[in-house]
């Protein structure tokens, strides 16, 4: 008797653009002290290069290069073993090599250096996932070169997923900062968007903020909304999550409701807050009066989930 197929549990926002899985990260493989020696000469081993937060891409793919004769360099990170996709069979071990600067010698066959923000709209799902993983772990290594306990240098181990203090032996693990982002509606089912003081132009988005130590996600939703808009919200509902490695966030999307729509921007982080009906938002975006977050963001996905479909922008209309 066969057991029933597992039921995929997908949150209301579905699988978000940056929430993909490209590799089997191989936590069992990466604990081997000689991991990089083992895979250095493997025929299926490939290197993903990054420099200054940018990776080498070509068209719709992250460039995966053969291992250089000089090996993997000082701080290689084992990204994992690829899963099958339309272009590649499964089973390629991918190693992230971070260079001190972009190497023009690697730019052959149309390859170029691109940031994740620029590349994410071009790359396929698995290549985006590789880039997200690489950017997040690379950002962590760049800023955790010393021990937070004693200040001594730390060295990478376990395939680049741990750093160990050279003085006191303490282990330090990659850091991820949870942040909530929330689509707030009022009794008329209007959506609240805010404009951050730091943003250029007339840009509006859902309110967001970091979760503080000792706080639940729901507590962070209620606190952040009160701080930024003066609104008292209730009933936070989880909608989905995706990594946001700029430099190391995990965005957790929520909806929440308020009974009293009298909102006041804090005047520091948030310079304006506005309630929109669906018609008002559609018209404000289509006319170019305001801009909203781009398609790879969880903000855009939260807004369109409320809106009931894609929101047309003036550029897209002009090109069509
Ligand atoms: Zn130490």
């Amino acid at each position: 008797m066969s057991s029933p197929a597992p039921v995929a549990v997908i949150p209301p926002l579905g699988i978000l653009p940056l929430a993909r899985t490209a590799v089997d990260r191989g936590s069992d493989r990466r604990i081997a002290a000689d991991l990089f020696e083992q895979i250095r000469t493997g025929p299926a081993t490939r290197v993903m290069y990054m420099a200054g937060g940018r990776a080498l891409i070509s068209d719709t793919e992250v460039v995966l290069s053969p291992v250089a004769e000089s090996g993997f360099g000082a701080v290689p990170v084992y990204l994992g073993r690829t899963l099958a996709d339309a272009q590649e069979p499964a089973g390629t071990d991918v190693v992230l090599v971070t260079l001190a600067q972009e190497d023009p010698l690697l730019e052959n066959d149309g390859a170029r250096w691109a940031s994740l923000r620029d590349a994410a709209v071009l790359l396929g799902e698995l290549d985006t996932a590789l880039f997200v993983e690489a950017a997040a772990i690379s950002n962590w290594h760049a800023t955790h070169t010393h021990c937070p306990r004693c200040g001594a240098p730390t060295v990478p181990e376990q395939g680049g997923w741990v750093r160990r203090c050279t003085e006191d032996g303490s282990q330090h693990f990659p850091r991820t900062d949870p942040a909530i982002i929330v689509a707030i509606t009022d009794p008329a089912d209007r959506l609240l968007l805010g404009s951050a003081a730091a943003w250029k132009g007339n840009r509006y988005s859902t309110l967001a903020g970091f979760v503080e130590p000792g706080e639940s996600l729901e507590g962070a939703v209620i606190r952040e909304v009160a701080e930024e808009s003066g609104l008292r919200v209730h009933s936070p509902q989880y909608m989905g999550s995706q990594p946001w490695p700029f430099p190391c966030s995990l965005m957790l999307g929520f909806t929440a409701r308020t009974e009293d729509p009298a909102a006041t921007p804090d005047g520091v982080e948030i310079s304006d807050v506005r309630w929109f009906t669906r018609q008002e938002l559609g018209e404000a975006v289509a006319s170019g009066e305001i801009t909203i977050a781009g398609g790879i963001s969880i903000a855009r996905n939260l807004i369109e989930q409320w809106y009931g479909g894609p929101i047309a922008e003036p550029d897209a209309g002009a090109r069509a």
Side-chain angles (χ1 to χ4, degrees), residues 97-288:
V97 170
T98 303
L99 305 174
Q101 55 202 4
E102 293 171 10
D103 180 352
L105 294 178
L106 294 168
E107 296 168 30
N108 37 34
D109 301 327
R112 64 188 180 90
W113 298 91
S115 70
L116 176 58
R117 282 181 197 271
D118 292 336
V121 293
L122 306 172
L123 300 175
E125 289 176 11
L126 299 193
D127 291 80
T128 300
L130 260 188
F131 202 156
V132 169
E133 180 186 0
I137 191 71
S138 172
N139 289 341
W140 176 69
H141 279 289
T143 52
H144 290 77
T145 54
H146 288 75
C147 176
R149 292 189 187 177
C150 73
T154 56
V155 290
E157 57 181 36
Q158 296 194 20
W161 290 89
V162 177
R163 293 187 75 102
R164 184 183 291 277
C165 175
T166 51
E167 279 297 317
D168 60 30
S170 58
Q171 286 185 310
H172 304 279
F173 295 87
R175 168 176 160 176
T176 295
D177 295 345
I180 57 84
I181 180 159
V182 53
I184 303 156
T185 51
D186 74 356
D189 204 25
R190 295 182 302 170
L191 179 71
L192 184 87
L193 298 180
S195 190
W199 292 343
K200 293 195 185 90
N202 227 5
R203 184 172 159 212
Y204 283 78
S205 194
T206 43
L207 301 186
F210 287 109
V211 181
E212 294 192 343
E215 187 173 50
S216 68
L217 299 175
E218 294 81 0
V221 168
I222 291 165
R223 176 186 53 77
E224 278 288 341
V225 172
E227 286 175 5
E228 294 185 350
S229 71
L231 287 176
R232 290 162 56 97
V233 295
H234 62 85
S235 311
Q237 295 288 313
Y238 174 71
M239 298 297 285
S241 72
Q242 70 172 359
W244 194 248
F246 308 107
C248 57
S249 297
L250 172 66
M251 303 301 298
L252 297 129
F254 283 81
T255 57
R257 292 181 53 77
T258 186
E259 305 310 320
D260 178 4
T264 315
D266 66 10
V268 181
E269 267 189 79
I270 301 294
S271 55
D272 188 31
V273 286
R274 271 174 74 176
W275 288 103
F276 293 89
T277 64
R278 289 174 180 81
Q279 184 178 355
E280 285 165 353
L281 184 66
E283 289 174 1
V285 174
S287 69

Side-chain angles (χ1 to χ4, degrees), residues 21-29 78-83:
T21 301
V23 295
D24 166 4
R25 295 185 178 212
S27 55
D28 53 337
R29 289 190 294 280
Y78 181 67
L79 294 179
R81 187 167 288 170
T82 55
L83 306 169

Side-chain angles (χ1 to χ4, degrees), residues 24-67:
D24 166 4
R25 295 185 178 212
S27 55
D28 53 337
R29 289 190 294 280
R30 68 196 189 198
I31 56 176
D34 63 347
L35 167 70
F36 292 113
E37 285 157 55
Q38 281 180 37
I39 64 173
R40 180 174 165 166
T41 54
T45 302
R46 290 291 179 272
V47 170
M48 174 178 173
Y49 287 104
M50 285 192 75
R54 308 213 297 173
L56 205 57
I57 70 162
S58 180
D59 289 331
T60 59
E61 295 190 1
V62 167
V63 174
L64 296 179
S65 307
V67 183

